[in-house]
Amino acid sequence: MMHGYLLAIDAGNTHVRIGLMDEEKIVFTIRLSSLTPRTADEYWLAVRDFLQDAGIDRKQVAGAIISCVVPDALHALVSCVKKYFDLDALVVGPGIRTGISVRTDNPREIGADRIVNAAYGHAMYPQGVIVADFGTAVTYDYVSAEGIFAYTLIAPGLDICAQALKNNTAKLPGIALQMPSGILAKNTVSGMQAGVMYSYLGGVEKVIAMMKHALHTDCPVVATGGLGRMIASNTHAIDTYDPDVAFKGMRMIYNLNQK
């Protein structure tokens, strides 16, 4: 078992989330835009301030793991870990132990973010689990009781749907992504919110119901991702919301690869 802190980095299409973990405890997290290119030095400056605030010396960081779906960011992140922590980061990808077996048509198409989510979902719910990640896109990934990741579904994220409505019409405005007071709206903004949110919730519930029916299972559904909390709190189709599935999955995968 590693003695020291683990630096876990989750680089997605919209945000780079950096977490420092002490065993299972998350000491702090940082959220940066992944739409802005950054150098290794710039990533270090973001982490340095949080380390100082927590009273932690960088030499106390004993390991690092990166889950990245943004190729342009990966080199800078790996370089940052090497230059400032003197560590070779474990990069989630083919050839590492994850605790699950990916058996889709083309396993290399499955992003690292979904691998860490599925690995943690299987560890927590060994009877079978659907992990729904509500990010830029929403993904629904099923892992069986045998640890086989074979089925997946990808749809536009909630923000994409709202932006498409604004960008493809002449007069409709941008809207905040929040639940309206009810389905009966009396103005344009609340009407758009009701239309987007309730249509999206209906789609989430339909997808989950169809997956369970096709799989002949009533397995738990775990939601994560930035918009997952709002979705999960407004439907009975989702059993649990956990914003830190990615970090917990990376911690588990890191430990597996130290044995």
Side-chain angles (χ1 to χ4, degrees), residues 181-212:
S181 57
I183 191 67
L184 301 178
K186 298 181 72 173
N187 59 69
T188 298
V189 170
S190 59
M192 290 173 66
Q193 288 174 331
V196 170
M197 296 304 303
Y198 287 117
S199 295
Y200 202 84
L201 278 171
V204 169
E205 292 169 350
K206 183 67 172 180
V207 164
I208 291 171
M210 290 183 70
M211 288 183 72
K212 287 186 174 184

Side-chain angles (χ1 to χ4, degrees), residues 47-226:
V47 175
R48 182 191 63 183
D49 292 341
F50 281 82
L51 286 172
Q52 289 176 347
D53 289 344
I56 296 170
D57 188 279
R58 60 176 140 176
K59 294 180 180 179
Q60 294 175 267
V61 178
I65 181 169
I66 299 173
S67 164
C68 182
V69 298
V70 185
D72 290 345
L74 183 58
H75 176 73
L77 289 167
V78 170
S79 298
C80 174
V81 171
K82 184 64 176 177
K83 180 176 181 180
Y84 290 102
F85 296 93
D86 195 25
L87 295 170
D88 294 317
L90 176 67
V91 178
V92 177
I96 71 167
R97 298 186 183 96
T98 62
I100 59 173
S101 176
V102 181
R103 299 187 191 177
T104 56
D105 288 344
N106 186 351
R108 291 181 178 272
E109 290 180 342
I110 304 299
D113 54 340
R114 295 160 66 195
I115 297 296
V116 298
N117 288 350
Y120 180 74
H122 176 61
M124 293 298 100
Y125 301 94
Q127 71 270 39
V129 65
I130 295 171
V131 181
D133 189 347
F134 293 91
T136 306
V138 56
T139 56
Y140 303 84
D141 297 323
Y142 173 71
V143 186
S144 71
E146 295 76 28
I148 297 171
F149 178 177
Y151 303 110
T152 182
L153 187 148
I154 305 170
L158 187 54
D159 188 56
I160 289 176
C161 294
Q163 287 297 321
L165 190 59
K166 172 183 179 292
N167 294 340
N168 291 282
T169 56
K171 292 186 176 182
L172 293 182
I175 58 170
L177 291 175
Q178 62 187 42
M179 290 300 299
S181 57
I183 191 67
L184 301 178
K186 298 181 72 173
N187 59 69
T188 298
V189 170
S190 59
M192 290 173 66
Q193 288 174 331
V196 170
M197 296 304 303
Y198 287 117
S199 295
Y200 202 84
L201 278 171
V204 169
E205 292 169 350
K206 183 67 172 180
V207 164
I208 291 171
M210 290 183 70
M211 288 183 72
K212 287 186 174 184
H213 178 75
L215 292 163
H216 307 290
T217 182
D218 190 27
C219 67
V221 179
V222 178
T224 191

